[in-house]
Amino acid sequence: FGGMKPVIVVHGGAGQIFKEREEGSRAGVVRAALRGYRILKQGGSALDAVEEAVRSMEDDPHFNAGCRSVLNEKGEVEMDAIIMDGKNLDSGAVSAVKCIANPIKLARLVMEKTKHMLLTDHGAHQFAQAMGIPEIPGEKLVTERTRERWKKNLEPDSNPEEFQKDLGTVGAVAIDSEGNVACATSTGGLSNKLVGRVGDTACIGSGGYADNRSGAASTTGHGESIMKVVLARLILYHMEQGMSPEMAADAALDYMKTRVGGLGGVIVVNNSGEWAARFSTKQMSWATVQDDQLQYGIYAGERHTRSVDEVVTSESEGF
């Protein structure tokens, strides 16, 4: 086989991206998409590509995932991540993990090294230790910015909702040359959330879903709303009914908005390699590579197109 043209699509979170962080968000999703695409281009799997793309964004301070996640009400980082293989519907997820740089890597290990699909908190921590994943002391994960924001949110007259606009869940979907699809999603969750809160990201069908028979989706936005409509699976359902990725994404986002008043964003690829990046929030940083063409944007209607060669050459100089 191997006749499929590989595609990767990534997102760096839906919401409102503060002006001073726009460039970094654009550059971050582009870098992630290029890294994932490099794997696909060499004949690598969709699974490896989405994991690599998400890892790249977890390591990037512009996104609320991995090292730079927002803090819960007790001032700690708690992270969620999921990965899913469209070939056999295998999935691995972790929730409320602390002290590791790349939760997506741990999610992949849950999928491959256990009979389970979701490990949480203390158990996830013990599993990470057993797998030899290096720990990062909690204070290393906490940046000045997240600490400041946390303090502000604790003030009696603060409105954490105001800060929720700068969400940065990250995700990726891909199809490889064998026609296998995969998705990966990772997040630090909501600012000042209750301890132990698990959002949509770690939940199969909500934060992401992948099935070779239809395609793959990764979501971002208001977690509780996403969970109510099982957003990722809903998109795939629409594609199974014959909708294009774009129509399916819009229909599902529209339903979430009208039914439960929730806003969000999604990236989708179907099993024939068509893709979409759609959102009902003001912004969502996204990037995609297909046929050595890179496309990316943040605002509705914004779509830059460049050849991969041109970007890789200018990558060193930044954007």
Side-chain angles (χ1 to χ4, degrees):
F1 185 59
M4 196 72 199
K5 280 196 173 143
V7 184
I8 186 159
V9 194
V10 305
H11 71 71
Q16 188 178 347
I17 298 158
F18 297 137
K19 269 278 181 259
E20 72 274 9
R21 298 171 69 75
E22 272 183 24
E23 278 317 298
S25 292
R26 273 198 193 90
V29 287
V30 164
R31 189 177 306 117
L34 290 171
R35 281 191 186 169
Y37 187 69
R38 194 174 302 147
I39 290 173
L40 295 171
K41 184 95 167 143
Q42 291 160 359
S45 71
L47 212 49
D48 286 344
V50 294
E51 182 188 356
E52 178 55 37
V54 165
R55 222 173 54 159
S56 165
M57 292 183 286
E58 283 177 341
D59 293 342
D60 187 324
H62 288 92
F63 305 107
N64 166 26
C67 301
R68 303 299 182 272
S69 297
V70 296
L71 309 183
N72 68 14
E73 59 175 4
K74 277 173 69 179
E76 301 168 323
V77 167
E78 286 187 321
M79 301 170 289
D80 301 340
I82 193 168
I83 193 164
M84 187 165 182
D85 183 349
K87 198 187 313 183
N88 47 16
L89 306 188
D90 276 352
S91 180
V94 292
S95 82
V97 296
K98 304 177 177 75
C99 308
I100 65 165
N102 297 112
I104 199 63
K105 188 178 172 188
L106 190 57
R108 174 99 187 241
L109 288 167
V110 169
M111 176 171 86
E112 292 178 347
K113 307 285 185 202
T114 77
K115 293 189 177 74
H116 308 307
M117 289 176 72
L118 172 56
L119 292 182
T120 190
D121 205 348
H122 186 59
H125 181 71
Q126 283 180 319
F127 176 65
Q129 283 178 319
M131 290 287 120
I133 292 205
E135 264 181 63
I136 294 174
E139 57 277 7
K140 277 253 174 29
L141 284 171
V142 176
T143 58
E144 270 306 292
R145 185 167 168 270
T146 51
R147 171 74 63 202
E148 278 307 299
R149 166 188 292 201
W150 173 72
K151 282 205 199 105
K152 274 207 181 79
N153 286 353
L154 286 183
E155 290 163 13
D157 58 346
S158 87
N159 172 15
E161 292 303 312
E162 264 312 290
F163 286 103
Q164 294 313 356
K165 292 176 180 161
D166 193 23
L167 291 179
T169 300
V170 304
V173 295
I175 187 166
D176 59 31
S177 56
E178 303 286 303
N180 292 312
V181 298
C183 70
T185 313
S186 179
T187 192
L190 288 175
S191 235
N192 295 57
K193 60 194 174 182
L194 290 180
V195 174
R197 177 260 190 189
V198 177
D200 65 293
T201 301
C203 300
I204 188 171
S206 293
Y209 203 81
D211 182 348
N212 282 4
R213 292 181 179 183
S214 43
S218 168
T219 67
T220 165
H222 185 243
E224 280 72 14
S225 299
I226 290 171
M227 290 158 93
K228 287 174 186 174
V229 302
V230 199
L231 188 62
R233 189 64 190 84
L234 181 58
I235 293 164
L236 265 56
Y237 165 78
H238 285 315
M239 295 200 302
E240 286 156 6
Q241 305 301 304
M243 284 190 190
S244 68
E246 190 160 304
M247 282 175 68
D250 286 349
L253 285 169
D254 191 48
Y255 177 71
M256 182 167 84
K257 192 172 174 179
T258 53
R259 188 71 180 86
V260 297
L263 300 179
V266 299
I267 50 172
V268 196
V269 64
N270 71 8
N271 58 6
S272 52
E274 298 175 289
W275 62 273
R278 308 293 291 169
F279 46 101
S280 52
T281 49
K282 278 196 179 143
Q283 291 153 291
M284 179 179 80
S285 53
W286 63 271
T288 181
V289 188
Q290 183 178 30
D291 264 346
D292 291 324
Q293 282 288 98
L294 163 78
Q295 300 186 53
Y296 60 96
I298 287 187
Y299 292 94
E302 177 191 354
R303 182 182 288 201
H304 306 278
T305 307
R306 299 170 67 176
S307 83
V308 167
D309 299 338
E310 173 199 336
V311 177
V312 174
T313 330
S314 67
E315 256 261 278
S316 40
E317 298 116 58
F319 281 77

